[in-house]
Amino acid sequence: MPDRSTVLAALRAQHIETPSWAYGNSGTRFKVFAQEGIPRNAYEKIDDAATVHRFTGVAPTVALHIPWDKVDDYADLAAHAGNQGIGIGAINPNVFQEDDYRLGSVCNPDPAVRRKALDHLLECVDIMDATGSRDLSLWFADGTNYPGQDSIAERQARLGEALRAVYDRLTGEQRMLVEYKLFEPAFYTMDVPDWGTSYAHCVDLGERAKVLVDTGHHAPGTNIEFIVAFLLHRAKLGGFHFNSRFYADDDLMVGAADPFQLFRIMAEIVLGGGLDKASGVAFMLDQCHNIEPKIPALIRSVLNVQEATAKALLVDANALRQAQSEGDVLGANAVLMDAFNTDVRPMLAELREDMGIDPDPIAAYRRSGHFDKIRAERADGAAAGWGA
Ligand code: LRH
Ligand code: MN
C-alpha cells in the first residue's frame, strides 16, 4: 500500500488553477443568466479566485483570458493577486470573438486577418512577461462548416506558420499549450480537432510546445486516459482544462458527470509521474457555471479533483505492476477498483485541518457570509461576462 504521509504530502502540494471567466456571467447561445455578486473586472475575479484558494488551500493561481481580463497595468494586476495570496497563471488569447475572424484567425485565407491574430498572440506573450506567467494557453475556434469551403492542408500550413512565430517569441520558462477541440464553433472541420493534430504541431515546434487536454473536447466514448498516458509517456502533456459533460462541450463541474473517468485520468497521471512538479503538467479548470453559484461551484470542482487525485494516489502501484506482469487481468483491475472505491473524504478532511483550513470547505463558505458581502459590494456596475 502507498505510504500515507507520501500521499498526504502529494495532496498538500497539489496545484489546481481556476479560470477567471468561470467567475463571470456565462451561458449558452440561448441565454446568459445574470447572477448577483458577479465580479465587475479582472481585479474582482482575482479576489474570487483568492477566496476559492482560501477555502481549499490548493488553488493558488488563476488563469486570465484576454481581452475579457484586459487592464491598463498587468504588473499591477499581478501585484494585486500577490496581495490576495495567489498568482496569475496561464494567459489565454482570444482570437474567436471579432467579425474579422468569421473565416478563422491564424488559419484565415486573408493574410491581413492572420497578421491581426498573430499580433494578438504576441501581445499575450508581452502580458506573460508582465505577469510572470509560464503558460500561453492557445485555443483556436478556426475551422470550416462545409466541405470545400477552404483547403484543409493550406490551413494547416498557415497554423504552423503562426505557431512557429509565437514559439520563437517565447523566453525563459515560457511554454505554449496547444488545445484541441473536435467541433464548435465550426461544424465540418476544426483546424486543431484532436490530440494527434496538436501533438504533431508541438513536436514540430519543440520543447516549449505541449498539448492541452480539455476533457470536454472529445467525441463521446473517447478514452481520454489513453491520450493522457501517451502524451505523458512522450513528455508532451502540457496540462488540462478540466470540466465534465454529458453530451458536448458542456463545461460542467469536473467530476460531476463521470467521477470514474476523472479517477482513471488521475490514475494515469499518478502512475506516469504527472503529479511531480518536474513533469510540468498544469492542472487547470475550464468551466462555466451558467445556473449555479460560481464560487461554491469552483470550490466543489477543486474538491472533486482532490478526491480523484487522493484515490489515484492510493492505487497500490507495486501490486498493480505485479498483477499486470502475471497477466492477472481481474487482479490488476481489482487493484484500481479498490482505490476508486475508497472513501478519501476523511483523509482529505484531516489534511485540511493540518493545513489550517476548515475540513468542510463548502459548509465553511456557506457559513462565511462571503456571498452576502460581495452581493452588497457589487450591487452596482456592470457584471463581467463572456461578451459573446
Ligand atoms: C473552448 C475553450 C477554450 C477557451 C474557452 C473559454 O471551448 O475550452 O479553452 O478559451 O473554452
Ligand atoms: Mn478549454
Side-chain angles (χ1 to χ4, degrees):
M1 277 306 281
D3 161 61
R4 188 179 175 79
S5 60
T6 312
V7 169
L8 289 170
L11 291 168
R12 182 189 283 267
Q14 188 157 35
H15 178 163
I16 300 160
E17 182 161 303
T18 64
S20 66
W21 53 97
Y23 298 103
N25 281 325
S26 61
T28 70
R29 59 185 164 174
F30 300 105
K31 174 66 176 164
V32 171
F33 295 102
Q35 294 188 26
E36 295 178 307
I38 295 296
R40 297 161 295 182
N41 54 56
Y43 287 81
E44 291 182 346
K45 292 177 195 175
I46 286 177
D47 297 346
D48 291 357
T51 298
V52 170
H53 183 50
R54 209 164 43 249
F55 282 88
T56 63
V58 292
T61 56
V62 58
L64 301 184
H65 218 295
I66 310 299
W68 297 339
D69 300 315
K70 189 172 182 47
V71 294
D72 302 336
D73 183 340
Y74 288 99
D76 180 66
L77 188 69
H80 174 75
N83 298 340
Q84 293 286 330
I86 62 171
I88 292 181
I91 301 297
N92 293 256
N94 180 330
V95 286
F96 53 85
Q97 275 190 324
E98 295 186 42
D99 292 339
D100 284 345
Y101 297 141
R102 179 172 60 85
L103 300 177
S105 64
V106 295
C107 302
N108 194 296
D110 179 342
V113 174
R114 298 201 296 272
R115 182 72 244 176
K116 174 182 175 176
L118 178 56
D119 289 346
H120 175 63
L121 303 181
L122 296 172
E123 179 209 350
C124 286
V125 182
D126 299 341
I127 293 170
M128 290 165 70
D129 293 341
T131 60
S133 298
R134 175 191 66 178
D135 293 340
L136 180 70
S137 190
L138 297 174
W139 175 68
F140 300 101
D142 291 45
T144 64
N145 276 1
Y146 298 97
Q149 175 186 329
D150 196 354
S151 158
I152 294 171
E154 261 302 303
R155 294 178 74 91
Q156 287 303 309
R158 297 164 193 160
L159 173 64
E161 213 179 288
L163 291 175
R164 169 54 63 194
V166 176
Y167 189 92
D168 294 345
R169 165 70 182 79
L170 300 175
T171 60
E173 298 304 304
Q174 294 176 337
R175 310 184 309 170
M176 55 196 287
L177 308 183
V178 180
E179 184 174 2
Y180 57 88
K181 184 175 183 180
L182 184 62
F183 74 96
E184 188 203 44
F187 297 107
Y188 173 55
T189 66
M190 291 287 281
D191 292 302
V192 189
D194 55 27
W195 72 272
T197 307
S198 173
Y199 177 73
H201 281 286
C202 290
V203 168
D204 288 352
L205 290 160
E207 187 47 39
R208 294 169 180 277
K210 307 265 186 180
V211 179
L212 176 63
V213 177
D214 184 311
T215 48
H217 288 186
H218 305 83
T222 299
N223 185 322
I224 299 176
E225 59 270 24
F226 171 87
I227 299 169
V228 169
F230 178 94
L231 293 171
L232 206 48
H233 177 64
R234 296 296 183 98
K236 272 298 181 190
L237 178 63
F240 292 94
H241 270 183
F242 278 138
N243 49 64
S244 72
R245 47 70 144 330
F246 290 103
Y247 303 103
D249 188 20
D250 308 349
D251 281 339
L252 300 172
M253 291 190 297
V254 58
D258 189 344
F260 184 42
Q261 180 189 58
L262 181 60
F263 162 75
R264 298 193 313 266
I265 290 170
M266 292 314 296
E268 289 303 335
I269 285 289
V270 170
L271 293 166
L275 214 49
D276 307 346
K277 289 281 171 277
S279 73
V281 176
F283 299 93
M284 304 174 280
L285 304 181
D286 176 5
Q287 301 175 170
C288 300
H289 305 296
N290 303 340
I291 60 173
E292 68 270 29
K294 319 281 181 178
I295 293 173
L298 282 154
I299 292 174
R300 179 67 261 169
S301 302
V302 170
L303 302 189
N304 286 355
V305 176
Q306 256 191 327
E307 288 171 17
T309 307
K311 289 172 185 262
L313 286 163
L314 291 177
V315 172
D316 185 335
N318 299 334
L320 181 66
R321 254 192 296 285
Q322 181 67 25
Q324 290 172 340
S325 64
E326 292 162 1
D328 177 0
V329 175
L330 296 178
N333 177 249
V335 171
L336 227 66
M337 295 315 291
D338 286 349
F340 178 65
N341 294 321
T342 304
D343 184 354
V344 293
R345 294 173 293 182
M347 177 173 69
L348 286 169
E350 180 200 323
L351 171 74
R352 295 184 188 112
E353 275 167 337
D354 283 0
M355 293 169 78
I357 59 177
D358 191 289
D360 182 344
I362 296 281
Y365 181 76
R366 280 185 198 287
R367 278 197 313 275
S368 71
H370 178 266
F371 181 67
D372 298 335
K373 175 173 157 298
I374 58 175
R375 180 168 46 193
E377 283 170 2
R378 299 171 183 177
D380 54 18
W386 275 26

